[in-house]
Amino acid sequence: MLTGGATLFLYPISWLLRRSFGLESAEYETSFFFFYLAYVINDPHFAVTYLLFYRDAKKRAFSPEVPRVQRARWIVSGVVVPIVLVAWGIYAIRKNEAQTLGWMVQLMYLLVGWHYVKQGFGVLTVLSARRGVKITPTERRATLFHAFAGWAFAWASPVSDGGYFEEKGLVYRGVAHPQWLMILTGVVLGASSLLLVGVIAARKIREGKMIPLGPLLGLLISIWSWMIFSGADPLVRYAIPALHSIQYLFFVYLLNKNKAKAHEGPPSFGRPASVRVGAIALASLGLGWFLFHGAPEFLDLAFTKKLPAGDVDEMGPTPIFAALFTYVNLHHYFMDHVIWRRENPETKYLQDAPPAVIAPPAAEPERLAA
């Protein structure tokens, strides 16, 4: 349910709300509900990534215990990417170039699909492993092929000539999505779907059982419901970012809970797992508010030029908010690509820790035998 399954129950609920109250009223209330829910779900899901990524930063970047390729990924995502994005945003705002900042927004919308399908793939692999089922290399390749094909088709659809779009007050011209691109990505998606069905059927024939349904649904819902058919239901579409965030926070909880439990006893004698997880949750709430509300509102009020009433500016009244919102999203995608890789030693905590085995004292075996 937490990793995507709840989506299936939202469709009949949406139908009932629209039937009972009408589309206009139901959409109005739903949009406001998920707007405020973002304070405690969506925003913390971005913020907690910073807490995970920059924890033990020196070790992650330079320790020989971490594979060299993983260290390089950390430096690129943790140092190079934020410098480039900050410079991009500052340049666009200083030069008052809405289109320059608009390209950054369009990069965000391109990569969000990549981020969603990679997370869905993580749901499949991690939850299958927790059930004692290992995804084979062939299944892994077929699944990733289907995930990336779904990402490409979702981005290419619908056909569009470009035109002007608005994001957080910023007005920019979007890239065109030609019909041939939608057809091409659709053909690839169809082929990848057949391949995925084939490898699932092959496991059933070979072992007499399928890939666990829960993890598989987590992947397919991420691709088909949250991306390809994200606009199919006028109310469920407002819930998709929250559902994605809940999916993410579930794995954050697993990782931090198991890591805290592993260090509760000797030799570390760390704080209880509940205290550690609670502290991360509170820190994420605070940092989420700062990144999406406190900082951008203060900066826009302090540094953005104020236009006379009635004047129109393509940068909008809150360009720093638009830039910071886009920056956090993009940086989140890159940091996630490092945190949840198999090469990260901490991902071992996504598995349940084995129960502790306490050996009896030396004199105990004789007494127990007696």
Side-chain angles (χ1 to χ4, degrees):
M1 293 292 287
L2 292 175
T3 56
T7 310
L8 301 178
F9 294 90
L10 292 183
Y11 288 106
I13 292 174
S14 171
W15 179 83
L16 288 172
L17 288 174
R18 287 183 280 116
R19 183 177 177 85
S20 301
F21 303 105
L23 174 59
E24 184 176 355
S25 178
E27 187 170 16
Y28 182 80
E29 299 294 342
T30 300
S31 64
F32 268 90
F33 173 77
F34 282 104
F35 172 81
Y36 287 108
L37 187 67
Y39 280 82
V40 295
I41 299 294
N42 304 27
D43 298 349
H45 125 270
F46 287 105
V48 76
T49 308
Y50 284 93
L51 302 180
L52 296 177
F53 187 86
Y54 287 103
R55 182 171 59 191
D56 299 328
K58 184 177 179 181
K59 176 181 177 181
R60 296 172 189 272
F62 304 109
S63 174
E65 298 177 14
V66 180
R68 181 177 299 175
V69 175
Q70 181 71 1
R71 280 180 275 156
R73 290 193 189 102
W74 193 96
I75 292 172
V76 170
S77 297
V79 180
V80 178
V81 168
I83 290 175
V84 171
L85 293 177
V86 168
W88 190 343
I90 291 175
Y91 175 85
I93 293 172
R94 289 290 299 272
K95 295 293 185 178
N96 201 45
E97 295 183 2
Q99 188 59 40
T100 300
L101 192 55
W103 287 115
M104 188 172 170
V105 173
Q106 291 179 83
L107 178 63
M108 175 185 72
Y109 280 119
L110 170 65
L111 294 182
V112 68
W114 169 66
H115 173 64
Y116 269 47
V117 300
K118 287 284 287 183
Q119 185 167 301
F121 176 73
V123 171
L124 174 68
T125 54
V126 173
L127 294 189
S128 294
R130 288 172 62 86
R131 288 159 171 75
V133 177
K134 184 178 180 180
I135 303 299
T136 68
T138 300
E139 291 168 340
R140 176 184 175 85
R141 287 190 290 269
T143 303
L144 282 173
F145 177 39
H146 181 64
F148 291 138
W151 163 38
F153 179 75
W155 184 80
S157 307
V159 173
S160 169
D161 294 329
Y164 287 91
F165 299 88
E166 182 270 336
E167 180 66 45
K168 305 296 181 288
L170 176 78
V171 179
Y172 63 92
R173 183 169 182 82
V175 297
H177 293 182
Q179 186 174 23
W180 66 262
L181 181 61
M182 187 183 74
I183 295 173
L184 176 62
T185 55
V187 170
V188 175
L189 176 62
S192 72
S193 301
L194 293 175
L195 179 61
L196 182 62
V197 171
V199 297
I200 292 173
R203 175 183 281 265
K204 177 67 175 178
I205 294 171
R206 183 176 66 251
E207 301 180 7
K209 58 183 179 181
M210 291 178 54
I211 296 173
L213 182 60
L216 184 60
L217 278 177
L219 168 73
L220 296 178
I221 287 171
S222 299
I223 299 171
W224 288 89
S225 176
W226 296 355
M227 286 204 326
I228 295 174
F229 293 116
S230 59
D233 188 283
L235 303 187
V236 174
R237 63 179 178 176
Y238 290 103
I240 290 173
L243 291 164
H244 165 80
S245 300
I246 291 170
Q247 184 187 71
Y248 183 84
L249 291 172
F250 173 75
F251 290 97
V252 172
Y253 167 76
L254 282 181
L255 187 148
N256 285 279
K257 180 198 71 172
N258 289 339
K259 183 178 180 180
K261 282 188 173 182
H263 293 87
E264 278 184 341
S268 303
F269 294 103
R271 291 178 296 172
S274 58
V275 174
R276 286 179 176 267
V277 172
I280 291 174
L282 290 175
S284 301
L285 283 168
L287 183 57
W289 175 86
F290 175 79
L291 291 173
F292 290 100
H293 303 281
E297 289 175 10
F298 170 79
L299 293 172
D300 274 319
L301 187 63
F303 299 106
T304 300
K305 64 180 181 179
K306 301 299 182 288
L307 296 175
D311 285 4
V312 178
D313 188 337
E314 289 184 344
M315 294 296 287
T318 56
I320 295 178
F321 176 38
L324 189 55
F325 174 84
T326 307
Y327 163 84
V328 172
N329 273 269
L330 285 168
H331 196 200
H332 171 72
Y333 308 155
F334 282 96
M335 290 189 293
D336 261 9
H337 185 61
V338 177
I339 293 172
W340 305 105
R341 295 188 68 88
R342 291 175 296 174
E343 294 87 350
N344 179 7
E346 287 200 345
T347 56
K348 65 184 179 183
Y349 294 114
L350 290 174
Q351 300 293 319
D352 281 328
V357 178
I358 303 175
E364 280 293 289
E366 291 79 9
R367 188 181 68 81
L368 291 174

